[in-house]
């Protein structure tokens, strides 16, 4: 197997094809509606792990000003390209910044903070989660809400073993090539509740030749979020909202 890159790395295919994969992911249906409820039109949202701007754009289109922060230059480049294609009044509501959600201080507050699509699960459960909850709290006024979409532990635990021969995604792209995705490696250990996967992205040309291959490592950590959020002054505001059978959106309020 070719050299394994981290997910969302420069030159990797997980960043290049992030939008194609998420557009086909039914488990995300409706997530933006949940985040949009947290800030009124004209309000402001800080998005932690904004990625290629999927949620950022949708919130800005609803009249919300969004500051999107991400660690990955490749993902931010995609978000910036997306922003440039938007009508100016929407694009002007978006600010993109490179930064680490575990140690971010923008010296201002927002009406809400959102951390979509398992972004918190990308960092180790423990100090990194606690520090991310502290980042959310630091950017909220008292009473402000923070939403974290987290995976379900029982789903992570019960995923089938890797099968490098069986595609888990196979779609024809707009230019006629195919994008095929395989799970090359998958382990789940508990404790710590850690899912480690190598996903192999393969681009197949119109003649059926594999012209690009990129194995990329995606790791998720999961734990009970309430105690770590509480340490940052965030208390659960309502029961977690189930999303697509794969995860829940946890909404916390700053005391
Ligand atoms: C699954 S994507 C979510 C992107 C977007 N919010 C969405 O919902 O489509 C997770 C993103 O979190 C980013 N990320 C991971 N760890 C991060 C960190 N410590 N600080 C900021 N961003 C991080 C990754 O680079 C990636 O773009």
């Amino acid at each position: 197997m070719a050299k394994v890159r981290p997910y969302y790395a420069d030159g990797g295919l997980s960043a290049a094809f992030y939008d194609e994969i998420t557009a086909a992911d039914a488990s995300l249906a409706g997530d933006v509606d949940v985040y949009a409820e947290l800030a009124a039109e004209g309000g402001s949202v800080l998005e932690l792990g904004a990625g290629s701007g999927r949620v950022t754009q949708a919130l800005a289109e609803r009249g919300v000003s969004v500051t999107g922060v991400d660690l990955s230059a490749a993902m931010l480049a995609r978000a910036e390209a997306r922003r440039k294609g938007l009508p100016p009044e929407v694009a002007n509501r978006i600010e993109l910044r490179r930064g680490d959600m575990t140690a971010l201080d923008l010296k201002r507050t927002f009406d809400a903070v959102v951390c979509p699509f398992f972004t918190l699960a990308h960092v180790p459960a423990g100090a990194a989660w606690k520090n991310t909850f502290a980042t959310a709290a630091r950017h909220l006024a008292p009473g402000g809400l923070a939403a974290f979409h987290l995976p379900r532990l029982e789903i992570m635990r019960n995923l089938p073993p890797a099968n490098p021969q069986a595609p888990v995604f196979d779609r024809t792209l707009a230019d006629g090539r195919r994008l095929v995705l395989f799970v090359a490696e998958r382990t789940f250990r508990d404790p710590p509740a850690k899912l480690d996967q190598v996903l192999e992205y393969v681009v197949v040309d119109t003649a059926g030749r594999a012209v690009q291959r990129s194995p990329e490592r995606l790791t998720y950590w999961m734990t009970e979020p309430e105690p770590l959020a509480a340490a940052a002054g965030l208390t659960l505001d309502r029961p977690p909202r189930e999303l697509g059978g794969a995860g829940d959106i946890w909404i916390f309020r700053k005391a």
Side-chain angles (χ1 to χ4, degrees):
M1 192 164 52
K3 182 174 176 289
V4 178
R5 288 187 169 89
Y7 234 63
Y8 315 117
D10 285 349
L13 297 184
S14 56
F17 292 112
Y18 179 85
D19 293 332
E20 282 77 5
I21 304 274
T22 46
D25 189 344
S27 75
L28 293 174
D31 68 341
V32 170
D33 296 330
V34 178
Y35 306 130
E37 282 169 19
L38 306 181
E41 199 177 327
S44 60
V45 165
L46 170 63
E47 184 183 358
L48 302 176
S52 66
R54 179 185 69 89
V55 172
T56 325
Q57 172 183 349
L59 292 177
E61 283 172 343
R62 295 178 193 212
V64 175
S65 293
V66 190
T67 298
V69 175
D70 205 285
L71 204 50
S72 156
M75 292 295 268
L76 279 175
R78 301 195 70 77
E80 186 50 39
R82 180 197 287 261
R83 196 184 72 83
K84 285 199 175 108
L86 297 174
E89 69 277 13
V90 178
N92 290 340
R93 284 195 282 270
I94 295 176
E95 188 194 350
L96 299 168
R97 282 172 169 258
R98 185 127 188 236
D100 182 348
M101 66 186 181
T102 67
L104 184 76
D105 189 358
L106 299 177
K107 314 271 184 227
R108 60 161 291 202
T109 59
F110 296 80
D111 294 334
V113 176
V114 302
C115 190
F117 194 10
F118 303 167
T119 294
L120 184 62
H122 289 61
V123 298
W129 278 42
K130 211 164 156 179
N131 292 340
T132 305
F133 285 126
T135 292
R138 191 158 48 241
H139 293 91
L140 288 170
L145 296 172
F148 290 84
H149 182 200
L150 294 171
R152 290 206 160 174
L153 195 50
E154 69 271 22
I155 305 270
M156 287 166 59
R157 182 177 286 123
N158 293 315
L159 285 170
N163 180 348
Q165 268 75 50
V168 290
F169 181 95
D170 187 343
R171 292 277 162 110
T172 302
L173 303 167
D175 60 8
R177 294 178 307 162
R178 267 172 51 227
L179 174 64
V180 190
L181 198 52
F182 300 88
V183 180
E185 291 175 20
R186 175 180 277 154
T187 56
F188 178 76
R189 281 192 296 126
D190 191 9
K194 180 182 175 195
L195 177 67
D196 204 11
Q197 308 185 90
V198 174
L199 302 178
E200 181 160 39
Y201 285 69
V202 183
V203 178
V204 179
D205 71 9
T206 49
R209 288 181 299 242
V211 287
Q212 263 181 295
R213 280 183 185 277
S214 180
E216 306 191 13
R217 185 173 302 281
L218 177 64
T219 303
Y220 287 151
W221 283 267
M222 186 53 194
T223 191
E224 174 57 53
E226 276 184 86
L228 296 169
L234 298 173
T235 52
L236 194 64
D237 185 65
R238 58 196 84 173
R241 166 97 168 247
E242 190 270 338
L243 194 75
D248 300 273
I249 299 181
W250 297 69
I251 299 182
F252 298 93
R253 186 177 292 276
K254 180 172 170 170

